[in-house]
Amino acid sequence: LGRPPFLDVVAIEAVYGASILALHDVSLSVARGEIVALVGPNGAGKTTTLRAISNLLGAQRGALRGGTIRWQGEETRRLDPADLVARGIVQVLEGRHVFGQLTVEENLLTGGYLRRPSRRQLAEDLERVYGWFPRLRERRGALAGLTSGGEQQMVAIGRALMTRPTLLLLDEPSMGLAPIIVAEIFAIIARLNREEGLSVLIAEQSANLVLDHADRAIVLESGRVVASGPSAELAASGRLAALYLGAA
Ligand code: ATP
């Protein structure tokens, strides 16, 4: 008996402009309740894969040229990113992109409004996010642009959680952050997964931290999947170490 369909990416090919082939025959899946890591060196195609899933490639002059992406059985090609958010897929972009001139709380609310919730639902969602990220409650009145990098990453994730996602796509959440802050953020993601069943696909260049929390990992190199399997097996195989040799 097969599992009910969740996220299925089958043999996608993505291009930028007329000639840059960024992804070649990339297939992957995420099952409900899983944390899956998408790892690989700089330029391997991690961001492109996430953008393909959330239909954001067009914004970068990219396009999906082949393959199919199905979300809970439905082909996503004709849906726009907002439709996908409404269906439960939300992406936290690389580089955080908080609204620096808005407060932490106002940033969170921008995520909440997408569902056109009642005032009461919005207040509940905000409470939930503050429950997960107590630091954001402390900083709720601060201008987001004046908060630390780690706090901004929490704001970006919290804003995404305000949409009540089923699948969270995180692009390089560790970027520019101290390892201790990254560990703190991953621990919260892992709790969201365990306690609320949130499914997560995390693109990360630095594989070691994310593998501690992921059930499975997919390794990309030059736009192709070169390895995949349970995180512990991949971490032990030496395959990743070889890929990253010399990359510090
Ligand atoms: P990074 O961690 O640096 O974002 P990545 O693994 O996410 O790396 P992608 O950003 O998906 O990799 O890039 C995959 C390939 O597509 C690279 O060769 C990159 O140069 C190319 N590429 C990415 N974005 C564009 C763009 N807007 N225009 C042209 N080429 C692009």
Side-chain angles (χ1 to χ4, degrees):
L1 285 169
R3 292 181 301 213
F6 200 63
L7 178 71
D8 294 293
V9 173
V10 184
I12 59 170
E13 199 167 283
V15 293
Y16 289 104
S19 59
I20 301 171
L21 183 60
L23 298 180
H24 183 87
D25 194 22
V26 168
S27 296
L28 64 92
S29 65
V30 177
R32 183 182 286 277
E34 261 191 325
I35 299 182
V36 177
L38 187 59
V39 298
N42 198 3
K46 304 179 296 294
T47 296
T48 304
T49 303
L50 294 192
R51 285 182 175 276
I53 294 167
S54 47
N55 274 339
L56 288 167
L57 276 180
Q60 309 288 116
R61 310 222 278 129
L64 206 59
R65 208 169 60 177
T68 48
I69 300 177
R70 276 189 220 92
W71 169 238
Q72 299 186 320
E74 179 185 19
E75 262 208 53
T76 60
R77 195 179 279 238
R78 283 181 192 80
L79 301 174
D80 66 35
D83 295 329
L84 285 167
V85 172
R87 283 163 170 76
I89 298 187
V90 67
Q91 177 164 354
V92 178
L93 297 173
E94 184 171 25
R96 308 188 268 274
H97 302 281
V98 299
F99 301 109
Q101 302 299 317
L102 299 184
T103 65
V104 164
E105 184 154 301
E106 286 163 348
N107 268 274
L108 296 176
L109 289 172
T110 61
Y113 292 136
L114 292 174
R115 287 186 305 108
R116 303 176 187 278
S118 68
R119 192 184 281 232
R120 188 164 141 236
Q121 285 170 326
L122 207 53
E124 276 173 21
D125 290 348
L126 210 47
E127 267 313 298
R128 254 183 72 234
V129 170
Y130 287 144
W132 290 111
F133 295 101
R135 188 104 65 103
L136 295 186
R137 191 197 300 276
E138 289 165 25
R139 303 286 276 143
R140 69 202 293 169
L143 286 182
L146 299 179
T147 63
S148 71
E151 288 164 346
Q152 289 184 24
Q153 186 59 261
M154 292 179 195
V155 169
I157 295 171
R159 189 173 58 191
L161 293 176
M162 291 290 288
T163 70
R164 298 195 182 181
T166 314
L167 174 64
L168 186 65
L169 307 176
L170 294 177
D171 195 355
E172 208 81 47
S174 75
M175 195 169 76
L177 303 180
I180 189 166
I181 306 294
V182 178
E184 183 182 340
I185 290 173
F186 282 164
I188 293 169
I189 297 294
R191 277 188 54 212
L192 273 158
N193 169 260
R194 277 197 311 273
E195 296 173 26
E196 293 202 352
L198 181 69
S199 308
V200 192
L201 179 59
I202 311 180
E204 265 298 343
Q205 195 175 325
S206 44
N208 48 358
L209 273 172
V210 73
L211 287 184
D212 286 345
H213 295 288
D215 301 299
R216 282 191 303 120
I218 292 148
V219 186
L220 281 182
E221 193 189 4
S222 308
R224 294 164 193 267
V225 176
V226 295
S228 65
S231 310
E233 276 175 30
L234 272 176
S237 73
R239 177 92 211 223
L240 280 170
L243 258 183
Y244 286 98
L245 217 61

